[in-house]
Amino acid sequence: MTFTTRPTLQGTFGMVSSTHWLASQSAMAVLEDGGNAFDAAVAGAFVLHVVEPHLNGPAGEVPILLAPAGGAVRVLCGQGVAPAGATAAHYRGLGLDLVPGTGPLAAAVPGAFDAWLLLLRDHGTKSLDDVLKYAIGYAEHGHAPVENVGLTVESVRRLFETEWTSSAELYLPGGRAPRSGTLLRNPALAATWKRLLADTSRAGGREARIDAAREMWRSGFIAEALVRQSRRPTLDTSGERHTGTLTEADLAGWSATYETPVTYDWNGWTVCKAGPWSQGPVLLQQLALLPDELPAHGSADYVHLLIEGCKLAMADREAWYGDAAEVPLADLLSDEYNAARRALVGEKADHGLRPGSPGGRTPRLPARAHTRVPAGAEHGFDPMGAGEPTVASLPGEPEVAADGTTRGDTCHLDVVDRWGNMIAATPSGGWLQSNPVVPELGFPLGTRLQMTWLEEGLPGSLAPGRRPRTTLTPSLALRDGVPVMAFGTPGGDQQDQWQLHFFLAAAQRAPVRGGLDLQGAVDAPNWHNDNHPSSFHPRGRHAGGVTVESRMDAGVIDELRRRGHDVTVGPAWSEGRLCAVARDPETGVLSAAANPRGMQGYAVGR
C-alpha cells in the first residue's frame, strides 16, 4: 500500500478538488443542493476570487474544459484579447521594449466573469443568486485568509501606501496586512455582486437574467468603472506612470467562446487541452516525445528523459505558439516530427533553446528569448527602493518585488457529479498585486498582456484583438472516448510540467478499472525546469536550471548533476499544486485528490 498524505476520496454522489478548502466546500454545497458540476464550479470560482485574491480575480481570465455527461468535450475560452489600442507601436512609442508586468498597460479585456456566466447559462441549472451567495457571504462577512495573502500584501506595502492607495484601503486596513486568525472582508466586492443581482432581478427567466448580468459587465456600471481605472495614470514595473488602452468598445465587443479541444492519444488515453493560444499543447507534445518504453518511474533516466523532452516542447512553444499567427499544430504533434525531435535527447543535459521546423518551416524566436537571467528574478527599476521581500514560498506563488513585479500564479478547480458531468478550470489573473483595486468594484484589472512580445511577426506578438498566449492549461483525460479524469495545477510555466509528471504517475500506477491512485500521483516528488524563457516579466530564462524536491532520491539528484543539469534542491513539499477528480465509467465510482503543499488545497466529496 502506497503511503499518501491523505486518502484518495471515493464516493458516488459528487467530488470537488480545488486550491482552497472554502471554494471546494462551497462547490460541494451546490452539489448537495441539487446543482450539477457546472453550477458547483461557478460557485467555487467566485469564492476563489474572494479567498485567493493574490492568485485570481473577476477581471482575470480562465480556460475551462468541460465534459457534459454523454456529450463531447469542449473548451470554453475565458481568455480576453488585447484591446484595439494595444499595438506594439504604441508601447514602443512609450519607450518600452517589454509590456510591463503590472499596471493598466498590461491589461487584456477581462475574460473570467463572462466565461463563468456563459458556462452557468448553457450548462448549469442554478440561478445567479444560488451561485453567488457563497462569494457574497465571504466578501461581506469575512474569511480567515491564508498566510500568503498577507505575505503578498506586505511585499508591496510601500507601493500600496504611496501609489496604489485604493489597494491599501482594502488590504491594509489600519495599516495592517491580512493575517491568519482574523477576518478579511471585501465590502466593495460584495456590494458589486449585490447590485448586479438587484439590477438584473427583473430580466425574466434564469438564462435571460444571466445574459443581463453579462451585458452589465460589458456595458453597465462594471464596464464604466473598469474603463475609468484603465485611464488613471498608474505606476508600473517600468518605473513610470501609464494609462491603459482598455475602452468601452473593447469590453462591449468581446465574449467568451466555445472551441474544440486539441487532443493526443497515448497508451489508451486521450488527453484534451486548450489550443495553442494557451500552453496546453505542450503537455501533448511531451507525451508525443516519449519512447514506447519508459525508464523506471522516478529513476535518473526517467527524470532526465522528461526534462529533456520538456525543453524541446517548450522551445516549440516559444517559436510557434500564439494567437497572432497560424500554428502548425498537426505537424507539431505528428509521429514523424516527434520521432526526429526525440532523437535529439542525449545522455547529457542540453542548455540550448532548440525549436524544430514543423513541415519544413523555419522557426523564429523572440530576440530576448535567450536572455539568461533566472526566471522571475527581480530586474530593472525599483520605484519603491531596495530591500523589499520576495514572496516565493512555493514555486508558482507570485514572486513580488518592491516594484510589484510578479511571476504570477493562479488557482485550479475540478468537479465531477453523480450524472457524470466533469469540469477542469484554471482561473487566474486580476491578482491584488497586478493593478490597483478598482475602488467602486473591489477588484483590480489583470496583466495577461505581459505574455506578449513587442517584436512584430511572432505568433505571440502583441496585436489588437488577439489573445496573449496564456500559461493556463487545465486537462481532461478520456478512456475509450469516455471522460475519466479532470486535473490541473497553478504554477505558470510549470503547469504542464507538473501535470505530465502527475498524469504519468496516475496512468501507470493503477489500471483505470481498478481505481486511479490520484493522491499518490499528487504526492509523488515533483520537479520543473526553467530552460525556456519565462512567460512573465522580465522574461528571463535559467539555462539548464532544474528544481527538485528534497524528497527526490539523492542518487537521482547526483546523477542529474553528473549529466549537466544545474540542479537546485528545494523544500521537501514545494513542487506542484495539483488537483484532480475522476470517474470510473463502469462502476460510476467517483474519486478526488488535492495537493498538500501549501496547506490550503482540499478535495471533498461523498
Side-chain angles (χ1 to χ4, degrees):
M1 181 176 179
T2 303
F3 171 78
T4 59
T5 58
R6 308 165 180 175
T8 294
L9 304 184
Q10 290 193 317
T12 57
F13 181 82
M15 291 284 162
V16 182
S17 180
S18 87
T19 48
H20 196 289
W21 61 85
L22 292 179
S24 295
Q25 191 54 53
S26 298
M28 192 68 202
V30 173
L31 293 180
E32 295 284 3
D33 194 42
N36 66 19
F38 309 118
D39 297 312
V42 175
F46 278 89
V47 170
L48 286 173
H49 298 157
V50 179
V51 300
E52 292 193 320
H54 60 312
L55 304 179
N56 80 138
E61 46 275 326
V62 59
I64 299 170
L65 282 167
L66 61 145
V73 176
R74 299 290 284 166
V75 174
L76 178 50
C77 174
Q79 174 57 66
V81 300
T87 65
H90 173 66
Y91 287 67
R92 290 196 302 268
L94 297 172
L96 300 170
D97 59 358
L98 286 175
V99 177
T102 60
L105 275 178
V109 177
F113 178 89
D114 192 68
W116 287 119
L117 263 64
L118 186 62
L119 175 72
L120 181 67
R121 186 197 74 180
D122 294 346
H123 298 279
T125 64
K126 291 292 187 178
S127 69
L128 271 177
D129 300 80
D130 289 335
V131 297
L132 286 177
K133 66 183 180 182
Y134 305 94
I136 291 172
Y138 288 124
E140 185 171 28
H141 303 296
H143 65 96
V146 295
E147 183 180 13
N148 278 327
V149 175
L151 291 174
T152 303
V153 172
E154 283 291 356
S155 66
V156 286
R157 171 184 284 273
R158 281 196 292 159
L159 180 65
F160 279 14
E161 290 178 336
T162 61
E163 294 283 345
W164 295 9
T165 53
S166 61
S167 298
E169 290 175 8
L170 176 58
Y171 290 110
L172 288 166
R176 299 195 67 176
R179 59 199 183 280
S180 300
T182 63
L183 290 178
L184 173 61
R185 296 180 175 87
N186 189 338
L189 179 59
T192 296
W193 299 148
K194 283 184 167 182
R195 180 177 174 184
L196 185 78
L197 293 176
D199 289 357
T200 60
S201 61
R202 297 180 181 177
R206 191 188 75 91
E207 294 181 10
R209 189 179 185 196
I210 293 170
D211 279 336
R214 296 172 66 209
E215 188 61 31
M216 192 162 293
W217 175 277
R218 287 196 290 260
S219 60
F221 77 96
I222 296 175
E224 293 168 359
L226 291 173
V227 171
R228 279 197 301 271
Q229 184 64 46
S230 178
R231 291 171 177 164
R232 291 183 178 123
T234 300
L235 184 68
D236 59 36
T237 54
S238 72
E240 302 291 336
R241 292 175 182 85
H242 292 115
T243 57
T245 61
L246 186 69
T247 67
E248 294 89 343
D250 294 318
L251 285 163
W254 185 89
S255 64
T257 54
Y258 292 101
E259 300 177 0
T260 301
V262 180
T263 63
Y264 187 78
D265 294 332
W266 180 84
N267 202 26
W269 293 83
T270 299
V271 182
C272 303
K273 301 291 282 188
W277 53 268
S278 76
Q279 72 171 353
V282 163
L283 176 59
L284 308 183
Q285 283 191 267
Q286 289 178 96
L287 289 172
L289 285 162
L290 294 177
D292 292 336
E293 296 292 331
L294 291 178
H297 187 89
S299 66
D301 287 340
Y302 179 86
V303 177
H304 173 77
L305 175 71
L306 266 57
I307 291 171
E308 295 303 295
C310 178
K311 290 176 182 177
L312 296 172
M314 285 295 210
D316 279 340
R317 182 192 77 167
E318 292 307 308
W320 301 109
Y321 288 25
D323 202 33
E326 185 177 346
V327 180
L329 200 55
D331 289 324
L332 287 168
L333 295 179
S334 69
D335 292 342
E336 180 182 13
Y337 177 77
N338 285 290
R341 298 285 277 160
R342 192 180 306 122
L344 298 176
V345 176
E347 171 69 18
K348 293 290 188 177
D350 187 271
H351 291 199
L353 199 61
R354 301 183 290 173
S357 301
R361 300 168 181 85
T362 301
R364 179 185 164 196
L365 291 169
R368 295 179 61 100
H370 296 285
T371 303
R372 294 196 176 204
V373 299
E378 294 183 27
H379 180 72
F381 181 83
D382 177 359
M384 295 292 102
E388 290 290 317
T390 296
V391 177
S393 59
L394 294 173
E397 283 291 306
E399 290 187 0
V400 187
D403 62 353
T405 300
T406 70
R407 182 174 66 187
D409 200 17
T410 177
C411 310
H412 189 78
L413 175 71
D414 300 311
V415 188
V416 61
D417 64 29
R418 63 188 186 271
W419 301 288
N421 298 301
M422 189 178 291
I423 183 171
T426 309
S428 186
W431 310 302
L432 65 86
Q433 66 276 22
S434 63
N435 260 296
V437 166
V438 183
E440 307 96 315
L441 302 179
F443 57 85
L445 287 164
T447 55
R448 194 59 55 172
L449 289 187
Q450 67 179 291
M451 296 183 174
T452 61
W453 296 102
L454 297 183
E455 287 179 66
E456 303 281 4
L458 299 169
S461 295
L462 177 64
R466 301 293 186 181
R467 294 168 289 190
R469 190 208 69 214
T470 181
T471 53
L472 308 174
T473 173
S475 301
L476 266 169
L478 292 70
R479 295 280 290 195
D480 302 322
V482 180
V484 168
M485 182 164 59
F487 58 99
T489 178
D493 294 308
Q494 289 83 15
Q495 289 180 34
D496 278 317
Q497 301 185 57
W498 292 335
Q499 288 186 65
L500 175 71
H501 311 158
F502 162 82
F503 174 72
L504 292 177
Q508 290 178 305
R509 284 187 177 188
V512 67
R513 302 297 183 239
L516 293 169
D517 182 14
L518 297 182
Q519 194 64 51
V522 168
D523 288 356
N526 218 319
W527 67 91
H528 79 273
N529 86 86
D530 291 309
N531 193 66
H532 48 274
S534 170
S535 294
F536 296 88
H537 187 280
R539 310 304 297 269
R541 62 181 285 256
H542 182 177
V546 175
T547 302
V548 305
E549 291 182 325
S550 62
R551 294 184 295 131
M552 183 176 283
D553 182 86
V556 171
I557 295 173
D558 290 343
E559 178 61 16
L560 291 175
R561 286 175 169 152
R562 187 193 70 78
R563 296 187 185 197
H565 298 281
D566 184 4
V567 179
T568 298
V569 179
W573 295 90
S574 57
E575 289 284 316
R577 291 176 60 200
L578 285 140
C579 299
V581 299
R583 178 179 182 271
D584 187 318
E586 286 192 354
T587 65
V589 171
L590 313 177
S591 55
N595 172 52
R597 301 163 179 88
M599 298 184 292
Q600 66 188 68
Y602 277 88
V604 296
R606 69 173 179 87

